[in-house]
Amino acid sequence: MLKFYFHPGPNPMKVALFLAETGLPFELVPVDTLKGEQHTAEFKAINPNAKTPAIDDNGVRVFDSNAILLYLAEKTGQLLGKAEDRGELLSWLMFIATGLGPFSGQSVHFRHHAPEKIAYATNRYLREAQRHYEVLNDHLASREYLVGDEYTIADVSAWGWIDKATVVLGEEGLAPYPNLQRWFDSVSARPAIETARNFGKDVAFKGEFDDEAKRAFFPQNFPKA
Ligand SMILES: N[C@@H](CCC(=O)N[C@@H](CS)C(=O)NCC(=O)O)C(=O)O
């Protein structure tokens, strides 16, 4: 059985949505990142980068959310889009993996977590996150989905981060991006979204972002153990 190493953050939620869409059987393995469980030797054997999500598919490990999406889509033949749209699919997956995700993550960090408020960094990452939202908004002006004319893993991947728009950009969230808002509403109306949101609901994940959590997420702020 496929093991899904999960914590309810934007990157694991992409994989949760894929599994909910396809109904692929899996065993959820909670990794409580606020308790530092991503740093155990056992988990690092699955993901040496010590982040969620990761999967273990009967002895085959795959880590990094978009690699997992591609792996599972290729394995099942689902949500891959048309062969002629392969270039677009790869392009949008990489745009999300190397641009939308990291800039959104850094925007969240400097807006909400950095121990000092650094206007330059906050502005730089917010503005880059906004620019990525603009690229998506422009692309979606005349189309329903990111790739071709069907729902694919590119939409699944983008949803994980766009779902966090207010945390990344501030209260106005998607308001300045009407095409992206329309796309988000349409994806959010899919029944699989609610299924995915319920994954791990029976797990008592730690909620408090205390010193233990800060050490696990931002080790650079602490003396080396
Ligand atoms: N590039 C990775 C990023 C994974 C990532 O940053 N995961 C977060 C949750 S959304 C995490 O596990 N954070 C724990 C930590 O940074 O220690 C991916 O796309 O899977």
Side-chain angles (χ1 to χ4, degrees):
M1 167 94 71
L2 182 94
K3 286 187 177 165
F4 174 29
Y5 294 84
F6 174 82
H7 187 272
N11 293 302
M13 285 308 292
K14 302 172 184 177
V15 178
L17 181 54
F18 181 92
L19 293 170
E21 290 283 1
T22 57
L24 212 59
F26 69 94
E27 177 197 340
L28 187 139
V29 184
V31 180
D32 201 330
T33 51
L34 271 63
K35 289 184 183 161
E37 289 176 1
Q38 67 273 44
H39 299 297
T40 63
E42 193 190 3
F43 180 64
K44 284 203 283 186
I46 306 296
N47 184 355
N49 192 34
K51 308 253 178 209
T52 55
I55 60 167
D56 178 343
D57 183 17
N58 293 307
V60 176
R61 77 174 188 193
V62 191
F63 55 89
D64 247 80
S65 54
N66 282 13
I68 298 169
L69 291 179
L70 254 182
Y71 172 88
L72 291 177
E74 283 175 348
K75 182 174 170 157
T76 60
Q78 296 194 62
L79 304 183
L80 265 182
K82 296 194 173 60
E84 64 262 31
D85 294 324
R86 179 79 174 169
E88 279 288 299
L89 182 79
L90 293 175
S91 301
W92 288 107
L93 284 175
M94 296 302 157
F95 168 89
I96 296 159
T98 65
L100 179 70
F103 281 113
S104 296
Q106 293 305 316
S107 180
V108 172
H109 181 77
F110 285 104
R111 288 172 69 81
H112 301 288
H113 295 296
E116 328 152 39
K117 293 292 160 214
I118 307 166
Y120 180 85
T122 308
N123 187 46
R124 156 79 181 157
Y125 289 114
L126 171 63
R127 188 65 201 97
E128 271 300 301
Q130 288 170 335
R131 200 182 60 71
H132 282 76
Y133 275 64
E134 281 158 25
V135 171
L136 288 170
N137 189 60
D138 290 349
H139 180 64
L140 288 165
S142 56
R143 54 195 314 128
E144 198 175 346
Y145 299 114
L146 287 177
V147 174
D149 56 6
E150 59 192 275
Y151 179 69
T152 68
I153 50 172
D155 300 294
V156 170
S157 178
W159 175 82
W161 271 108
I162 300 301
D163 190 40
K164 302 290 177 212
T166 52
V167 190
V168 173
L169 305 177
E171 247 173 55
E172 65 176 5
L174 291 177
Y177 314 100
N179 305 320
L180 192 52
Q181 177 77 68
R182 177 178 34 76
W183 167 91
F184 181 72
D185 292 344
S186 141
V187 175
S188 298
R190 299 177 70 88
I193 295 287
E194 201 193 330
T195 310
R197 288 198 196 282
N198 282 326
F199 287 172
K201 273 280 151 38
D202 53 340
V203 179
F205 283 111
K206 181 175 165 180
E208 201 191 343
F209 210 83
D210 59 7
D211 253 26
E212 179 187 42
K214 287 179 189 158
R215 259 174 210 282
F217 274 69
F218 314 131
Q220 76 278 2
N221 297 338
F222 296 86
K224 270 198 171 172

